[in-house]
Structures are given as structure tokens and as C-alpha cells.
Amino acid sequence: MGRKFFVGGNWKCNGTTEEVKKIVSTLNAGAVPSQDVVEVVVSPPFVFLPLVKTSLRPDFHVAAQNCWVKKGGAFTGEVSAEMLVNLSIPWVIIGHSERRLILNESNEFVADKVAYALSLGLKVIACIGETLEQREAGSTVAVVAEQTKAIAAKISNWTNVVLAYEPVWAIGTGKVATPAQAHEVHSELRKWLQANVSPDVAASTRIIYGGSVTAANSNELAAQPDVDGFLVGGASLKPEFIDIIKSAEVKKNA
């Protein structure tokens, strides 16, 4: 299989210049598994991307938290994929639930963003996940399949895509999907990719988990066969992010 463990840190709308420098210095000093064991990507707010990119250790990479759906122009307040390429930012997060729910980004809009970013050579962390109401209604798998289907309809090459399953009810709430719950959805997503895209894509695409991941639960989550890493929110701003990265060793030894 050989899916390299992936740990992303989504800093969301947090930080000052001084705080960012402090986070970077903690990351730079951290002892973590080598690049052949784990791929680490951190995602600061747009305004701090150049600072983080120039000061961060070379074995960690940087992602933007969003980009516009097409070429730049008269779109006040937006940042285009072309600008990210120009700044040599390799990764972008697209379709985070906060953007889907608060800013009403539809499955189709997210899929168009993913396709456009990929077309310019960016790598994409594409986020999917259900709300508490959807989980309680028993429609989790249908919801994430529909979100994935929209993306699959717009792209043909999945090499540069990491799928991030983030149950909305577990983001920033302290509630975490149990390892069994996370693995069940990851497993269903992989089956969906196998049936609807290809067995190769299903076997090679990394499906990572996000939703109140901490150093306390990351080892147990990492041990699940279909959990290929994490998209970490609040804990990525703290020193414990280093411990979460170390959970890649659990996967290596599994």
C-alpha cells in the first residue's frame, strides 16, 4: 500500500507575528520521525504564509487555508491559486466545514476549487464531513459520499489529493469520533473510491481524520488501518503537535 502518514496543522484564523514565530520555533526544535515516515504540512493564515515558509524547517511544508475558484481578477478579498503558486506554496486546504457551513460553499463549488487548484499544480487537502444532525439521521456515509462524488466528477488524477474526513460535530468541540467511528467512515470512503473511481486510487489516496485530534488520542486513532493521518486544528498551535506527528511511528510499526 505504502500510503505515507500525513499530518496537517490548520491554524485557522489565529496568530500574531510574535505568536507565529514562537510556533515555528517550537516546530523547528521538535524531534519527529523522518520524511520517509511522515509528511507534515502546516497551514497559517494567508498573511503569515511568507513568514512561515521562509522560517520553517525544510522537512515541513506549508499550505494555504483556501483559494479562489478560478483565475484572479475583480474578486475583492480573495486569494487566487496563481498567487499561491507564485509564492511557492505547495498545498492548499479546500472545503473545510467552516467554509461549507458559515460561507455556504456547496459541494460543486468546493469541487471546482479542488479541480482548479490541481490544474495549477497545487496539492489539495480536500475536506468532507457530516453534521451532528446528519450523523443522528444515519446519513453520514451518504453525505460524505456525495461530497466526494462532486470532487470525483471534476478531477481525473488523485495523486495530489489528500481527503480529510472531519465530522463537523467533532471540530473544536472536544468531542472526538471514536477510533471505530473514524475507521468505519474511512473504510466506507475507500470502498466508495474503489467502486466509483478505481481500485488504484482507493489504495493510494490518503484519507486523514480531523476533529479534536490531540496528543492524548492520536496514537489510538493512528492505529486504525484506514486512518492515514490527521488534520489538526487547535492542537496544531501547541507544542503537543509534535507528539501528534510522532503518532506516525504507530502506523509504521502497525
Side-chain angles (χ1 to χ4, degrees), residues 5-8 32 38-42 59-62 241 245:
F5 204 75
F6 184 101
V7 179
V32 298
V38 62
E39 185 168 8
V40 180
V41 175
V42 297
D59 53 333
F60 287 9
H61 297 288
V62 179
F241 187 59
I245 296 168

Side-chain angles (χ1 to χ4, degrees), residues 6 16 18 32 65 73 80-81 87 141 159 163 172 176 180 204 208 233 249:
F6 184 101
T16 62
E18 286 315 307
V32 298
Q65 295 177 15
S80 70
L87 289 178
V141 174
T159 311
L163 266 186
V176 187
S204 62
I208 63 175
E249 295 285 3

Side-chain angles (χ1 to χ4, degrees), residues 100 106-112 114-115 126-129 140-156 158 161 163 188-197 201:
R100 289 177 182 267
S106 68
N107 290 350
E108 289 65 36
F109 188 65
V110 168
D112 284 335
V114 171
C127 301
I128 56 177
T140 294
V141 174
V143 169
V144 295
E146 201 59 34
Q147 291 168 333
T148 310
K149 180 182 176 185
I151 295 167
K154 299 277 169 70
I155 71 172
S156 52
W158 286 74
V161 178
L163 266 186
E188 290 295 334
L189 279 167
R190 214 173 288 289
K191 285 183 202 159
W192 189 93
L193 290 172
Q194 184 162 5
N196 297 281
V197 182
V201 166

